[in-house]
Amino acid sequence: MNTSRRILLAGMAGLAVAPTAMAAAPAPAIGDATVAEERFARMIAAAHAPDVTCAHQAERYADAHWPDYVVAARAVLEARG
């Protein structure tokens, strides 16, 4: 599976779980995010970048906005476990 397809699928998984997770959880505490949660949050953020076709743009968006997606990443990782 190539990287762009993996990012897109992760973003879709984040969208599927995010609405319920955002309503149930308070604002994310960035300091206690695990490495897996941070990486998955970055992947979900990259999938939601305004111009996902440009890898550099998606990477910059993910670097700036990954804390917004920690709750969704936690929900997806907990659902998998």
Side-chain angles (χ1 to χ4, degrees):
M1 182 181 295
N2 63 16
T3 303
S4 61
R5 185 176 297 157
R6 189 177 313 129
I7 289 172
L8 213 53
L9 289 174
M12 289 170 49
L15 276 177
V17 178
T20 57
M22 294 303 263
I30 305 308
D32 68 341
T34 65
V35 173
E37 290 169 346
E38 180 180 342
R39 286 184 180 177
F40 201 66
R42 286 179 184 271
M43 191 180 301
I44 294 170
H48 292 118
D51 185 14
V52 77
T53 59
C54 177
H56 292 287
Q57 181 99 359
E59 186 176 344
R60 284 193 301 264
Y61 184 85
D63 287 341
H65 296 282
W66 73 267
D68 301 335
Y69 296 93
V70 170
V71 174
R74 284 183 182 152
V76 171
L77 290 173
E78 287 175 8
R80 290 179 63 201

